[in-house]
Amino acid sequence: MEVVFSIIIMNSIRSGRITAVGTLLAVTAVSCYIMHTRHRRKKSNSDNKHDNLPSTTDDPTDDTNSNNDIDDNNNFYKQMGISEENLPTHIQREIYKERQRKKKEIMISMKTPMYDNIYMLDQHGEVLCTISQKKANWYIRKKIGKWSTLVKKDKDIINSKNCKEEGEEVKCIQLLFEHNRTNKKGSSEEVYLTSAKQNICVACGSDGYHIRHYIVPYSYRSLLSKEYKSHMSHDIVILCPNCHVECERFSKRRMKDMENDLRIKLGPEYNVSPVIEDSYLANVRSCAIALAKWQDKMPQEKVDRYDSVVREYLASICTNEEEKSEILNTKKELNKAQLQAACGVKYRVKNPNYIPGANIVVQSLQQDDKAIEQFILDWRNHFLDTVQPRFMPNGWRVDNPVACGTRSDWDEDDAKLGAKSWFGNTAFL
């Protein structure tokens, strides 16, 4: 494929006939190559099997690999004799944005693993769930739990960082009080809570940099009542930076459509601009920018007109009479600091009548439990349809409880099929 693209573009360059059609073919060829390279890289990452949890130590080769990924496209252009400066502006812009995003991956990624997989046992020694190291220390500090060990026998609890093989002992915490178990034995909810979770991207399986991703967008989730957020980690998963960008693109598109539809239905008072522009201040800023950048190339009449607009504004905000008289003195040119002050004037203010889209969406649910449940289930289905994850935690289901303390439906049909048939990286409802 690379050879075909190279022949097409090199023939156009050597012949000297780089027409609009030739440029279009070159851009199309480059775009196809980029998509092909990304698909091939993603496929190779997803084919790797991740049986063990990734190491948390920094690997010096990670930065080298990321730098190589950034310059993959440039190397392709250089092989064809095309420098980055001669590429179309929209391709240069995409290369720059990709390079900047790669540089920020370390900064925006999680610094510690998301799952510590510390098992919590009840008084009878049965596994209740897996918790973080911080939560385990809290139980010890409050003297309502003690450190204990658990012999691994269940193959659903195989991926713990403290135990790699069946029969080994796992460090865990045991409660010193009677716990009220809310989930049914053998249900998907119990399997999700008690299974060790891998610190890998749920979409492609990458074990590099990770980002905490909210299946229900955080702007919506933060406005829901406490029972839909507290002790509810079911809708928080791990994505690598690349998969996170792709997922956010689809999520923001859906959020925008939802919010726009609601604004239209609710009336014009909800369909207002988030900011109010002051036309006078906007004109002052525009005149100041024109004087600062293109004063030498402008007609003198326009320069005088723009100069008077800027002087009137600067004099109106000046409190010192001497400085005010100096500003209004047209014989003295405006200095650089004065022009910068006029260029930086804030001509946009927050509209007090504007209601954020997230507030409108959550308010439309009217605190109805059924409406909120369906809202969360729709976002779970949207995540599966757009991301198509293959490494979700065991027991993760679309119809798992959406609120803390509720039970999932577990009927006789589920019991006949067995819990195992609903779990795994390729079976979703």
Side-chain angles (χ1 to χ4, degrees):
M1 184 177 292
E2 291 88 343
V3 176
V4 175
F5 294 158
S6 301
I7 293 173
I8 293 175
I9 299 177
M10 291 301 296
N11 288 338
S12 300
I13 295 175
R14 291 175 181 175
S15 61
R17 294 175 298 176
I18 304 179
T19 60
V21 177
T23 304
L24 180 61
L25 288 174
V27 173
T28 305
V30 170
S31 303
C32 292
Y33 174 74
I34 294 173
M35 295 175 62
H36 172 69
T37 305
R38 289 181 178 177
H39 176 72
R40 184 173 55 189
R41 188 184 304 123
K42 186 174 181 180
K43 184 178 180 181
S44 62
N45 292 335
S46 63
D47 290 340
N48 297 330
K49 294 185 178 180
H50 304 271
D51 296 332
N52 300 327
L53 287 174
S55 173
T56 57
T57 57
D58 294 335
D59 187 357
T61 60
D62 290 345
D63 295 337
T64 305
N65 293 334
S66 62
N67 292 332
N68 292 337
D69 291 341
I70 295 172
D71 295 331
D72 276 348
N73 298 334
N74 291 338
N75 293 334
F76 174 70
Y77 302 139
K78 291 177 181 178
Q79 291 176 2
M80 296 186 297
I82 304 175
S83 61
E84 185 175 343
E85 294 78 11
N86 296 329
L87 291 172
T89 55
H90 69 282
I91 295 182
Q92 293 184 27
R93 185 166 57 251
E94 291 299 324
I95 293 175
Y96 173 78
K97 289 164 63 176
E98 183 72 11
R99 187 181 291 116
Q100 293 299 111
R101 187 179 68 82
K102 287 289 184 181
K103 290 181 180 179
K104 295 180 181 178
E105 281 186 357
I106 302 177
M107 182 179 10
I108 65 176
S109 300
M110 293 186 293
K111 304 303 183 291
T112 57
M114 183 171 173
Y115 303 115
D116 293 326
N117 293 319
I118 304 296
Y119 293 100
M120 187 171 70
L121 312 180
D122 60 10
Q123 284 186 322
H124 306 289
E126 294 186 3
V127 179
L128 291 173
C129 62
T130 58
I131 59 176
S132 64
Q133 183 70 43
K134 181 180 178 181
K135 192 66 175 179
N137 293 335
W138 181 85
Y139 279 104
I140 298 298
R141 189 171 62 252
K142 295 294 183 179
K143 297 182 179 180
I144 56 177
K146 65 178 182 179
W147 290 111
S148 180
T149 56
L150 173 68
V151 178
K152 180 172 290 190
K153 296 180 181 180
D154 190 352
K155 65 180 181 180
D156 287 334
I157 314 176
I158 282 181
N159 294 318
S160 173
K161 66 178 181 179
N162 299 325
C163 183
K164 305 298 182 183
E165 297 179 358
E166 186 175 351
E168 294 185 15
E169 291 186 349
V170 182
K171 186 179 180 181
C172 60
I173 186 172
Q174 187 171 12
L175 299 180
L176 299 178
F177 61 92
E178 188 66 28
H179 184 272
N180 183 19
R181 184 187 291 268
T182 58
N183 52 310
K184 293 184 179 181
K185 191 70 175 177
S187 64
S188 61
E189 181 186 1
E190 185 193 36
V191 174
Y192 175 78
L193 292 174
T194 58
S195 297
K197 301 168 182 63
Q198 291 183 306
N199 288 284
I200 60 176
C201 174
V202 299
C204 66
S206 171
D207 58 355
Y209 298 119
H210 291 150
I211 296 176
R212 183 181 286 105
H213 178 76
Y214 293 85
I215 295 178
V216 180
Y218 185 78
S219 58
Y220 297 155
R221 180 185 173 94
S222 61
L223 298 176
L224 297 177
S225 54
K226 188 176 180 180
E227 61 267 20
Y228 297 102
K229 299 180 291 183
S230 179
H231 297 86
M232 287 298 297
S233 61
H234 184 269
D235 295 326
I236 304 175
V237 295
I238 295 175
L239 287 179
C240 66
N242 291 333
C243 295
H244 179 73
V245 170
E246 294 296 326
C247 182
E248 283 294 297
R249 183 179 294 113
F250 291 108
S251 296
K252 289 182 179 180
R253 186 182 304 168
R254 185 169 189 262
M255 292 171 63
K256 185 177 180 180
D257 293 339
M258 292 172 59
E259 294 167 5
N260 290 340
D261 292 342
L262 285 174
R263 291 185 188 278
I264 295 174
K265 291 179 181 178
L266 294 175
E269 62 272 12
Y270 288 89
N271 195 11
V272 296
S273 175
V275 295
I276 300 176
E277 293 188 3
D278 190 323
S279 58
Y280 171 71
L281 295 180
N283 185 38
V284 171
R285 179 175 176 271
S286 178
C287 293
I289 293 175
L291 292 175
K293 290 185 177 181
W294 306 291
Q295 183 174 358
D296 298 337
K297 301 179 181 180
M298 294 166 54
Q300 188 60 37
E301 295 180 359
K302 186 176 289 187
V303 171
D304 295 339
R305 186 168 70 252
Y306 287 1
D307 185 76
S308 62
V309 172
V310 175
R311 288 179 185 275
E312 288 178 4
Y313 168 75
L314 293 176
S316 64
I317 63 174
C318 184
T319 57
N320 193 329
E321 292 297 331
E322 293 182 2
E323 294 181 2
K324 188 174 183 179
S325 60
E326 289 182 2
I327 293 173
L328 294 175
N329 185 7
T330 56
K331 295 181 179 180
K332 265 190 169 184
E333 291 186 1
L334 294 172
N335 56 39
K336 186 177 180 180
Q338 292 171 336
L339 285 177
Q340 287 181 348
C343 291
V345 63
K346 295 182 179 180
Y347 65 98
R348 291 180 177 177
V349 295
K350 187 176 180 180
N351 189 348
N353 298 323
Y354 176 77
I355 302 176
N359 295 55
I360 295 177
V361 173
V362 175
Q363 289 174 9
S364 67
L365 302 176
Q366 299 178 353
Q367 297 183 350
D368 184 8
D369 293 338
K370 291 185 178 180
I372 295 175
E373 180 179 3
Q374 188 59 45
F375 177 76
I376 296 175
L377 295 182
D378 289 343
W379 274 108
R380 291 177 182 177
N381 283 312
H382 176 264
F383 178 77
L384 295 183
D385 293 339
T386 55
V387 180
Q388 297 181 359
R390 296 185 295 166
F391 300 92
M392 294 293 281
N394 286 340
W396 195 96
R397 280 176 47 158
V398 171
D399 56 353
N400 272 7
V402 300
C404 182
T406 59
R407 296 173 181 262
S408 60
D409 295 332
W410 186 253
D411 53 21
E412 295 181 357
D413 294 336
D414 294 333
K416 291 178 182 179
L417 289 171
K420 304 285 185 182
S421 63
W422 296 98
F423 312 138
N425 295 331
T426 58
F428 298 107
L429 291 182

